[in-house]
Amino acid sequence: MKEQLSKIKSEALAAFGQVSTPAALDELRVKYLGKKGELTAVLKQMGRLSPEERPAMGQLANDVRAALEESIERAAQKLAAAALEARLKAEALDVTIPGKAPKQGHRHPMYIALDEIKDIFVGMGFTVLDGPEIELASYNFDKLNAEEGHPSRDWSDTFYFDRDSRVMLRSQTSPMQVRAMETMPLPIRIIAPGRVYRKDEVDATHSPMFHQVEGMVIDKNVTMADLKGTLNLLAEELFGKGTVTRFRPHHFPFTEPSCEMDVQCHKCGGAGCPTCKGEGWIELLGAGMIHPSVLRMSGIDPEQWSGWAFGMGLERTAMRRFKIADLRLIFENDVRFLEQF
Ligand code: DAH
């Protein structure tokens, strides 16, 4: 029995030392220590020994079992360490591989144009104002000299909130002139960009919602020459040195005299093409000297102060600035379009 035990011990220890997978180790454990294992089989023969032999043999058998268990434990630890090592190797990150850059958003072309406009005017000492899109008709019309009966107040031109036409989506940014005159100390130099709303059908040059930038100067001895000089400078800063403009007489209820400023078409240089509808010019803004009645209604004495104002279409300006042919592109937010700016 003694030989049997030492044979089992040496065989088992050798086998445990060579094992290469946890499953194989488990098989070996069963082979030697399991219920039907080799060591167990030897131990079962203990009963046949004489009482004198039994303690020594029992001790030896226990030592063999302890040695086997210890060896299995060591082998298991070795396998686990090797497995961990292998996993770390397999899952290692290659930190030198270039990362996936997150897609970066960028400014919308119209807001690029707006930021440029703001920079130009802030550089000339103007303040940028923000105002309500839901406006009182008194600010949108009455205080701008467009009283009851003026065609632009028509229900088919304007989005009203109530039956008696007091509250509306502003149809122009001009009410910001009145809000500035009523609240700011003189002299005033402001621009006020924002959304405006009209009952227009969508096409290549129209949308029921679009953007305007209002501008206004009130000071002593302000003349039409200041208006033209400032707006010509705006055109050159926005569209490049040598940009050609022209001022045409026009009518607005809140200015006298009134005019519109056109810029020579960027597509054809004035010869006439589809972009400028054959005219050679693109209308950019309305402007004029602030009507004395408008000044008076806002509590400013037209004998002492004078002013000029303008309102420009922002989509149009961005289209001219970036040579965009169709207004709808500005609102569709197709990434393939937006990514070009
Ligand atoms: N509010 C006018 C429009 O929407 C544009 C305009 C014209 C604004 C003349 C002005 C101005 O401030 O003086 O058509």
Side-chain angles (χ1 to χ4, degrees):
M1 185 175 274
K2 204 172 165 184
E3 290 80 54
Q4 261 182 306
L5 283 173
S6 68
K7 186 166 164 256
I8 289 176
K9 182 178 171 186
S10 60
E11 264 182 31
L13 293 188
F16 294 159
Q18 285 173 9
V19 80
S20 62
T21 68
L25 182 63
D26 220 46
E27 261 175 43
L28 287 176
R29 183 210 309 279
V30 174
K31 179 172 183 228
Y32 291 104
L33 298 174
K35 268 191 187 153
K36 293 176 183 158
E38 293 185 18
L39 183 63
T40 319
V42 177
L43 292 178
K44 276 182 186 156
Q45 297 165 26
M46 281 292 183
R48 283 193 239 138
L49 295 176
S50 68
E52 296 78 39
E53 285 174 309
R54 224 176 277 162
M57 209 46 78
Q59 180 65 45
L60 183 63
N62 275 341
D63 289 350
V64 171
R65 166 183 283 274
L68 260 53
E69 281 173 348
E70 199 206 347
S71 173
I72 288 174
E73 182 57 28
R74 246 185 291 122
Q77 277 174 12
K78 230 172 79 188
L79 287 175
L84 180 63
E85 184 68 19
R87 226 182 85 195
L88 287 177
K89 262 208 187 111
E91 292 177 4
L93 287 180
D94 182 351
V95 293
T96 64
I97 292 177
K100 277 188 196 157
K103 256 200 165 187
Q104 257 205 329
H106 48 85
R107 284 180 304 163
H108 188 283
M110 196 183 69
Y111 282 90
I112 297 176
L114 177 56
D115 284 346
E116 290 175 357
I117 293 167
K118 284 182 183 170
D119 276 352
I120 294 164
F121 280 104
V122 167
M124 293 190 283
F126 284 62
T127 303
V128 182
L129 296 186
D130 194 19
E133 287 171 35
I134 297 174
E135 185 54 284
L136 295 169
S138 55
Y139 280 83
N140 194 85
F141 293 126
D142 300 73
K143 296 178 180 200
L144 288 166
N145 231 11
E147 287 166 5
E148 283 301 339
H150 192 277
S152 63
R153 300 182 73 134
D154 202 276
W155 273 72
S156 62
D157 278 342
T158 302
F159 295 104
Y160 291 100
F161 282 91
D162 53 352
R163 289 194 153 273
D164 46 357
S165 313
R166 283 179 51 251
V167 184
M168 54 179 289
L169 286 174
R170 66 179 175 190
S171 64
Q172 50 185 357
T173 43
S174 302
M176 285 309 291
Q177 291 185 27
V178 181
R179 291 186 176 275
M181 285 189 278
E182 287 184 352
T183 56
M184 294 175 78
L186 294 164
I188 296 173
R189 281 191 191 82
I190 56 115
I191 59 166
R195 292 188 193 97
V196 301
Y197 302 84
R198 290 180 197 175
K199 286 191 177 171
D200 282 334
E201 296 283 341
V202 176
D203 66 21
T205 52
H206 291 87
S207 157
M209 184 281 296
F210 60 101
H211 296 71
Q212 288 187 331
V213 182
E214 195 76 14
M216 180 178 73
V217 172
I218 302 179
D219 207 335
K220 300 244 158 103
N221 305 315
V222 170
T223 72
M224 193 94 183
D226 301 310
L227 180 162
K228 289 182 76 174
T230 310
L231 295 179
N232 276 333
L233 182 84
L234 170 71
E236 287 210 314
E237 292 275 331
L238 269 182
F239 306 127
K241 283 262 166 285
T243 297
V244 184
T245 60
R246 90 177 167 186
F247 291 81
R248 276 179 294 106
H250 201 75
H251 168 78
F252 297 104
F254 38 89
T255 43
E256 182 60 37
S258 306
C259 63
E260 281 190 331
M261 184 178 93
D262 302 333
V263 212
Q264 206 163 61
C265 177
H266 55 275
K267 261 274 160 63
C268 60
C273 71
T275 301
C276 57
K277 300 198 181 96
E279 292 189 9
W281 298 89
I282 294 173
E283 178 206 320
L284 205 64
L285 55 83
M289 299 306 293
I290 300 172
H291 198 294
S293 305
V294 171
L295 290 173
R296 215 175 286 118
M297 274 189 274
S298 289
I300 296 172
D301 179 1
E303 300 297 333
Q304 287 199 46
W305 301 89
S306 56
W308 57 268
F310 71 91
M312 69 194 284
L314 190 51
E315 284 81 359
R316 252 183 221 181
T317 309
M319 288 166 76
R320 171 69 172 77
R321 169 76 179 75
F322 295 111
K323 306 189 178 6
I324 299 166
D326 193 317
L327 176 81
R328 286 167 288 199
L329 289 166
I330 291 189
F331 298 124
E332 279 166 0
N333 286 334
D334 185 329
V335 186
R336 292 167 299 180
F337 166 73
L338 295 175
E339 273 175 351
Q340 299 172 42
F341 304 97

